[in-house]
Amino acid sequence: MSTDHVLPAGLPPAPTDSVALRAESDRRADRFFRYLVTSAGLFVLVALAGAAASMLWGGRLAFSTFGLDFLTTTDWDAVGQKFGALVPIYGTLVTALIAMLIAVPVSFGIALFLTEVAPPWLRTPVASAIELLAGIPSIIYGMWGLFVFVPVMSATVIPFLTEHLGPLPIFGPLFQGPPLGIGMLTAGIVLAIMVIPFISSVMREVFLTVPTRLKESAYALGSTTWEVSWNVVLPYTRSAVIGGIFLGLGRALGETMAVTFVLGNAHRMTASLLMPGNSIAATIANEFSEADSEIYLSSLIALGFLLFIVTFVVLAIAKLMLMRLNRNEGHR
C-alpha cells in the first residue's frame, strides 16, 4: 500500500477547500453582524443627539430673548409675549416627587407580596393584572382621574387634609386651599397609579432572581419574612430596584395627557399642593396649537428642551448611583 499521502503522526489533517471557504464565510458574517449591531447602537445616540439639537435650535429665540430669566421667572403672558418656565418646571418636579413618594413603597409591597407572601394560585392573576394596568393608555387614566377621582378628592380627601393638616405650622401651607379637586396633589396621585405597574413589575422580576438557597438559609436561622425581604432580597437586587425606580420617575416626568386632565393648567406659583398648577408636558400639549407668534412657539419648544434636560439629568444620576453601588460592592 502506498504511503505517499500519509501525514506524520501528531499533525492535523490539512484543511480542505470547503473548510476554508466555510471559515471565510463565517468571518464575513461575523463582521456584518458586528457592523449591524454597532450601527443600531449608534443610531440611538444619533437620534438622541438629533432630538436635543432640534429642540435647542427651535427654542433658540426664547433663550436668546429671555436668557436665564426664562428659567427663573413665572411670567407666561401670550399677549404681552413674556414667557418664563419656572411654573411648569416646578409643577413637573412636584407632581413627579409626589408620584414617587407614593409609588415606590406601594410597588415594593406589591413585588414582595407576589414573590414572598402570595399563594401560588394567586401570583399569576395578580401579576397579569399589573401588566394589563401598564398597558392602559394614559388618556384613560386622565379621564378616570377627571370624572371619578377628582370628585372624590373634592368631596372627601381635600376637606380632610385641609382640616387636619392645614393648621400645622410647617407642613400646613402644603394642604391649604379650596376643595377644587384638581391640583398638583391629584396629579401626583394619578401619576403614582400610572407608574406603579412599571416599578412593581421590574421589582417583581428582579426579586425572582434571588437564589432560593439564600432565602432558605435566612429562614433556617429564624428570620421572619420581613427580615428576609429587607436583609436578603433587597440588598441582592438593590441596583436593579433603583433602576426600576428611576424608570418610573422618567415616565412620571414626561407624562402628558393624564396630567393635563387633572393638574388644572394654571400658570400660578403656589406652595399649596391642593391648588391648580402646570407642568412642562401639559403646557406644551395645551398651547402648542395656539402658538400664534414666533416667540410663543419658540418658548414652547424651549420647554420641551428643558424637559429633555431634566429627564436626562435624572437618568444620569440614576446611572451614577448604580455605578457607585456596584463599585462599593466590589470593594466589600
Side-chain angles (χ1 to χ4, degrees):
M1 183 175 61
S2 175
T3 59
D4 294 341
H5 299 288
V6 177
L7 296 174
L11 293 180
T16 61
D17 293 341
S18 60
V19 174
L21 291 175
R22 175 62 183 271
E24 180 63 25
S25 176
D26 290 343
R27 284 193 294 269
R28 287 198 301 267
D30 185 66
R31 285 196 300 269
F32 175 76
F33 177 75
R34 185 167 60 251
Y35 295 151
L36 183 64
V37 296
T38 301
S39 62
L42 293 177
F43 173 77
V44 174
L45 297 178
V46 171
L48 186 67
S54 62
M55 287 186 292
L56 179 60
W57 179 259
R60 69 190 187 281
L61 180 60
F63 289 127
S64 62
T65 302
F66 305 112
L68 292 178
D69 292 339
F70 185 73
L71 304 176
T72 58
T73 59
T74 59
D75 297 331
W76 194 266
D77 184 5
V79 178
Q81 296 189 352
K82 295 180 180 179
F83 301 98
L86 184 59
V87 172
I89 293 175
Y90 173 75
T92 300
L93 296 178
V94 170
T95 53
L97 178 60
I98 295 173
M100 300 311 295
L101 290 176
I102 299 173
V104 171
V106 174
S107 300
F108 184 67
I110 292 174
L112 286 181
F113 172 76
L114 292 177
T115 56
E116 305 296 331
V117 179
W121 62 268
L122 186 60
R123 294 179 181 179
T124 301
V126 175
S128 300
I130 293 174
E131 294 174 356
L132 288 176
L133 287 175
I136 296 177
S138 60
I139 192 171
I140 303 300
Y141 283 104
M143 294 176 64
W144 170 83
L146 180 62
F147 295 112
V148 178
F149 190 62
V150 167
V152 174
M153 291 288 293
S154 177
T156 305
V157 179
I158 292 180
F160 177 84
L161 295 177
T162 304
E163 180 181 356
H164 293 86
L165 300 181
L168 296 179
I170 298 178
F171 299 101
L174 297 176
F175 303 99
Q176 295 176 356
L180 301 176
I182 58 175
M184 289 186 289
L185 180 61
T186 304
I189 296 175
V190 173
L191 277 178
I193 296 173
M194 292 185 60
V195 301
I196 281 174
F198 294 92
I199 302 177
S200 60
S201 296
V202 173
M203 288 186 177
R204 172 180 172 270
E205 293 298 329
V206 298
F207 287 171
L208 290 175
T209 63
V210 179
T212 305
R213 62 180 180 273
L214 294 181
K215 296 186 289 185
E216 291 179 347
S217 300
Y219 283 123
L221 293 175
S223 299
T224 63
T225 303
W226 167 251
E227 290 173 337
V228 171
S229 302
W230 187 257
N231 298 321
V232 177
V233 175
L234 188 59
Y236 188 87
T237 59
R238 180 170 51 186
S239 298
V241 167
I242 294 176
I245 292 173
F246 277 91
L247 175 65
L249 178 57
R251 171 69 187 273
L253 288 171
E255 180 52 43
T256 304
M257 295 309 301
V259 174
T260 304
F261 275 90
V262 298
L263 186 54
N265 307 312
H267 285 282
R268 184 183 303 112
M269 195 79 170
T270 176
S272 176
L273 301 178
L274 309 180
M275 296 298 292
N278 219 333
S279 69
I280 295 177
T283 301
I284 297 173
N286 282 324
E287 304 185 23
F288 197 84
S289 61
E290 301 176 0
D292 55 358
S293 63
E294 188 176 358
I295 187 63
Y296 195 178
L297 181 61
S298 179
S299 299
L300 292 175
I301 298 177
L303 281 180
F305 177 75
L306 293 178
L307 180 60
F308 178 89
I309 294 298
V310 169
T311 306
F312 178 81
V313 169
V314 168
L315 297 181
I317 292 174
K319 183 63 177 179
L320 291 176
M321 290 179 61
L322 294 177
M323 293 173 61
R324 184 175 180 180
L325 287 174
N326 293 332
R327 185 166 58 250
N328 292 338
E329 291 175 357
H331 289 325
R332 287 197 297 268

